[in-house]
Amino acid sequence: MDTAVRAVIEAIHSSPTHAVLCLSGGAAQALGWLLSVPRASSTVLEATIPYSRASMVQLLGKVPTQTVCRETADEIAMAAYNRALKLSMPGVQVAGVGFTGALASVPPKRGDHRCFVSARTPSGLWQYDLTLSKGYRDRYGEDYLTSCVVVKTLADVCGILDDVPLGLKEGTEELRVAKVVYSEEEQLQQLLSGQICMINLSGGSNTPSWGTRRVVLSGSFNPLHDGHVKLLDSACSLREDGLPCYEISAINADKPPLGLSDIKERLKQFRNGKTLVVTNQPYFYKKAELFPDSTFVVGVDTVIRLLDPKYYGDSKVRMLEVLLGIKQLGCDFLVAGRKVDGSFKASRQSYF
């Protein structure tokens, strides 16, 4: 590894950004470099190599129009970004990096040797395109160059100003760079369309950084009131290292979905330091997939519905399968008593 590249990676690991990387068809050395420099766990949440066609189809949830192209790199980055959201705590800066390339191989490729790199963050999409000078480098040399491009991509996302030496062939090779910036409204539209799985709105300086387990209070919060705040505060006091988190689902199991204007109006209530996550999942077994290893704060009326087989096709077996799946994801429920049909009801146990 070049000393300049190592210095950039050290700076990346000192930044607050956590990333998921998905690399296909090259840039293999980048992963080794990132993991070989101390504090790699400060950056890398997960890394995958979707090399086979079946692996790529499973990652994207569809057959790509073309394996090595700009569109596929963007889609890989989006899949990596959604994965990073699920693996990180609210308020943490995350990115998803996607790489796809066609490099020197045996037998030789007929087309260009090229690569496309994308990095998705909450507010933007970085794009890097490079066509390599065919025959100028062997496979190792091309992999080294594309690995440097991946490191540069991650450095740019992390705001690292130090340059990564690429060693491009003068006159024939040029790294083309573009960036798309997303407004909050565009992010919400992407959520409603299912492109992204959640939007994290950090509580800023008032958000506890010490929490290691999310304590999630889901609701419509129309409006957010003192009872919600006290309930979540009390729940966190019962959970060691609990990180308080409000959650609004744009999709409701029993009501029409929220419109863009409805969501924007409710977001205004959380601009004062509270941590909010907006999702598109109304069911707790799906919320558990978004928030593994979390505690959900619910009222006893919600528990009554959770334990009613009629919501599972009148099947107790299906009900138990769903609840067991939630438990296997490391999630549990903290149950608050409340008035139901005019009388106060409470669960026999606070957790289940």
Side-chain angles (χ1 to χ4, degrees), residues 21-25 47-64 67 72 75-76 79 99:
L21 298 94
C22 294
L23 312 176
S24 178
T48 60
I49 303 175
Y51 220 73
S52 70
R53 178 180 174 84
S55 178
M56 182 66 74
V57 170
Q58 286 193 357
L59 174 69
L60 301 181
K62 67 171 189 176
V63 177
T67 303
T72 299
E75 291 174 344
I76 295 173
F99 171 94

Side-chain angles (χ1 to χ4, degrees), residues 181-191 196:
V181 178
Y182 300 118
S183 66
E184 184 177 275
E185 183 168 321
E186 288 174 316
Q187 294 176 53
L188 289 171
Q189 290 172 336
Q190 291 172 352
L191 175 77
I196 57 177

Side-chain angles (χ1 to χ4, degrees), residues 236-285:
C236 285
S237 70
L238 298 173
R239 256 318 199 187
E240 185 178 357
D241 292 336
L243 174 64
C245 177
Y246 296 88
E247 184 253 346
I248 294 177
S249 175
I251 310 298
N252 192 293
D254 303 312
K255 302 175 185 178
L258 296 177
L260 186 61
S261 59
D262 296 321
I263 299 174
K264 290 173 68 176
E265 189 64 29
R266 296 182 196 187
L267 295 187
K268 295 178 182 178
Q269 305 174 100
F270 297 88
R271 302 295 190 189
N272 58 350
K274 298 178 179 64
T275 296
L276 171 70
V277 179
V278 186
T279 74
N280 52 17
Q281 296 296 347
Y283 301 108
F284 276 103
Y285 74 95

Side-chain angles (χ1 to χ4, degrees), residues 16-32:
T17 300
H18 294 193
V20 168
L21 298 94
C22 294
L23 312 176
S24 178
Q29 294 170 68
L31 183 56

Side-chain angles (χ1 to χ4, degrees), residues 159-182:
I160 308 302
L161 299 179
D162 296 342
D163 195 28
V164 177
L166 300 179
L168 298 179
K169 186 178 181 181
E170 189 174 352
T172 60
E173 294 179 334
E174 178 186 3
L175 182 65
R176 297 178 296 280
V177 182
K179 184 182 179 183
V180 181
V181 178
Y182 300 118

Side-chain angles (χ1 to χ4, degrees), residues 66 102-105 107-114 131-135 142:
Q66 186 178 345
L103 308 183
S105 64
K109 287 183 171 65
R110 294 181 180 179
D112 290 335
H113 294 185
R114 62 200 187 280
T131 299
L132 289 74
S133 182
K134 198 170 182 179
E142 291 189 349

Side-chain angles (χ1 to χ4, degrees), residues 97-177:
V97 178
F99 171 94
T100 180
L103 308 183
S105 64
V106 178
K109 287 183 171 65
R110 294 181 180 179
D112 290 335
H113 294 185
R114 62 200 187 280
C115 74
F116 301 89
V117 189
S118 296
R120 174 62 201 260
T121 67
S123 60
L125 177 69
W126 279 260
Q127 299 173 318
Y128 302 79
D129 300 356
L130 176 64
T131 299
L132 289 74
S133 182
K134 198 170 182 179
Y136 184 64
R137 304 173 185 84
D138 59 12
R139 172 64 185 229
Y140 180 88
E142 291 189 349
D143 189 89
Y144 185 97
L145 171 57
T146 54
S147 293
C148 288
V149 175
V150 167
V151 172
K152 173 180 172 53
T153 302
L154 196 51
D156 289 347
V157 167
C158 295
I160 308 302
L161 299 179
D162 296 342
D163 195 28
V164 177
L166 300 179
L168 298 179
K169 186 178 181 181
E170 189 174 352
T172 60
E173 294 179 334
E174 178 186 3
L175 182 65
R176 297 178 296 280
V177 182

